Amino acid sequence: MRLYVLALNPTDSVTEGFLPAAARLGLDVTLLTDSVAAHASAYEGLPNPPELRACDVRDFRAVIGEIAGHHRPDAIFSNSDHLQAQTALAAQYFGLPGKNWQAAFRAKNKAETRRILNESGLDTVWTAELAPDQDPETLTGIPFPVVVKPREGVASEDVALVAGRAELIEFVRAVQQRRTGAALLLEEFLAGELHTLETLGDATTRQVLGGFRTAVSPPPAFIEESLEFVGAHPAAVTDQVLAELDALGVGFGACHTEFVVQADGRARLIEVNYRSIGDRLDLALVQLLGIPYFEQVLRIHLGEPLPADLGARADLTSYSYYLCADRSGTLTAAPEPFDRTVDGIALSYRTFRELGATHPLYTTNRDYLGVIQAIGPDRDAVHRIVAEFVRENVWEITP
């Protein structure tokens, strides 16, 4: 059976998750990408590397044409934020299981997400869209403070909380210089504790896998600093989030939804990422739940139904802490990656930036140097062991 995977840059989710899962399922994999050299480098040494083909994967017409002229597809899949609608359209064209392309578009386009939810009456959030190159001084009636973000952005890139008009104009103009042709979204700031909801659905059903409690950096940026696994949110909170996903038409395959819970228990949706959670947390789900998560996602795209009971365990928690650069410069000291067991806790460290790499300070998730992750049955123990690792190691950036 032939699986087509659409990708932009290589990611741990695909390299360590979906590709090995496809091999275990006996699938032949063709990966379409506009970055063939980067993927070829990432897959060196893999026992079952995919066939790589160059393609303008952001254009669904190019994707359909490339597949039509190659092997017959049995499934078409992507774990990229940017490629869900294209993947859905290609799957629909070939009569294969997949996400609804309208739902994929609504999830990716944050202005459309807000419009649908505002019209549904489930949640009303003030928003304003700023067209590419539109002068921010033309905007009026802004209920400061507001969050400014790219309409189709990811990973806290060019996202900030702005408190007043002068600050807004300065920030928007800086982003417009960096992102020529990108639309921006202004929206009401939703205060509260940040959480995620991880779901998995087939053509008729959806199951909740749990979620994460997220700590973010102080404003104005929104960098995710740590995430702790939560096996189950309060039922009323989960129900509110699922109702909003229903309004968007989101349900098929993997979905990673971010929301805040306010003091009165009200859940307010922040954004919908219509793919698995990243930054190695989907890899953690395999250990946390004890299920073949990546194989299950692919089976759904092959047309197989979800089991009524995934058989997920519920006795483990995790704590992931992200080490962030605090200045621009060259990384000159950092621990080596490892996997080990400490006091019965599975501890792993992975790098996001190699020694000798020089970077500016992005004030986004791109500042990650590495992640230390602990998984075990005791919440206090996983926090303690992570704190000990951070305290005993050195990350040095030389200007």
Side-chain angles (χ1 to χ4, degrees), residues 109-356:
N109 185 305
K110 295 176 175 63
E112 190 68 3
T113 299
R114 290 301 183 201
R115 187 186 69 78
I116 295 293
L117 293 180
N118 285 349
E119 289 180 354
S120 74
L122 293 170
D123 197 13
T124 302
V125 175
W126 180 91
T127 61
E129 195 170 351
L130 197 65
D133 302 321
Q134 180 181 345
D135 188 342
E137 294 198 46
T138 62
L139 294 173
T140 58
I142 303 171
F144 292 105
V146 294
V147 176
V148 183
K149 61 178 72 173
R151 188 183 62 192
E152 284 108 5
V154 295
S156 74
E157 300 255 348
D158 287 321
V159 180
L161 180 68
V162 296
R165 189 166 187 82
E167 185 180 344
L168 169 69
I169 292 168
E170 180 183 7
F171 180 75
V172 167
R173 286 179 174 164
V175 174
Q176 287 176 333
Q177 288 184 342
R178 289 191 294 269
R179 291 179 176 256
T180 304
L184 301 179
L185 186 69
L186 282 65
E187 61 183 28
E188 168 191 349
F189 174 58
L190 302 176
E193 188 175 65
L194 183 61
H195 295 269
T196 84
L197 189 72
E198 313 305 322
T199 57
L200 196 56
D202 58 22
T204 58
T205 64
R206 177 178 54 207
Q207 296 192 32
V208 175
L209 304 180
F212 293 85
R213 182 181 298 110
T214 307
V216 297
S217 61
F222 295 90
I223 304 172
E224 295 177 351
E225 297 181 330
S226 67
L227 289 95
E228 178 182 359
F229 183 68
V230 178
H233 297 299
V237 167
T238 299
D239 288 347
Q240 290 176 68
V241 177
L242 292 179
E244 292 184 297
L245 293 180
D246 286 341
L248 294 168
V250 168
F252 187 92
C255 186
H256 161 60
T257 304
E258 299 180 10
F259 63 98
V260 296
V261 178
Q262 299 185 323
D264 60 358
R266 185 182 179 190
R268 311 292 302 278
L269 192 143
I270 299 297
E271 65 180 31
V272 178
N273 302 283
Y274 209 176
R275 40 85 177 162
S276 68
I277 189 171
D279 294 326
R280 304 194 66 82
L281 291 166
D282 45 2
L283 296 162
L285 286 177
V286 175
Q287 295 174 264
L288 285 164
L289 303 176
I291 63 173
Y293 172 78
F294 295 100
E295 289 94 326
Q296 194 62 70
V297 174
L298 294 180
R299 287 182 183 278
I300 290 168
H301 285 266
L302 288 164
E304 298 183 25
L306 271 174
D309 183 357
L310 290 172
R313 62 189 299 175
D315 60 335
L316 296 178
T317 188
S318 74
Y319 181 60
S320 299
Y321 182 82
Y322 294 87
L323 288 306
C324 283
D326 60 358
R327 72 198 75 173
S328 60
T330 302
L331 182 64
T332 53
E336 292 291 323
F338 67 79
D339 293 280
R340 65 175 69 131
T341 301
V342 179
D343 296 341
I345 303 296
L347 189 68
S348 66
Y349 176 72
R350 292 294 185 273
T351 58
F352 288 106
R353 189 178 296 184
E354 299 302 319
L355 282 174

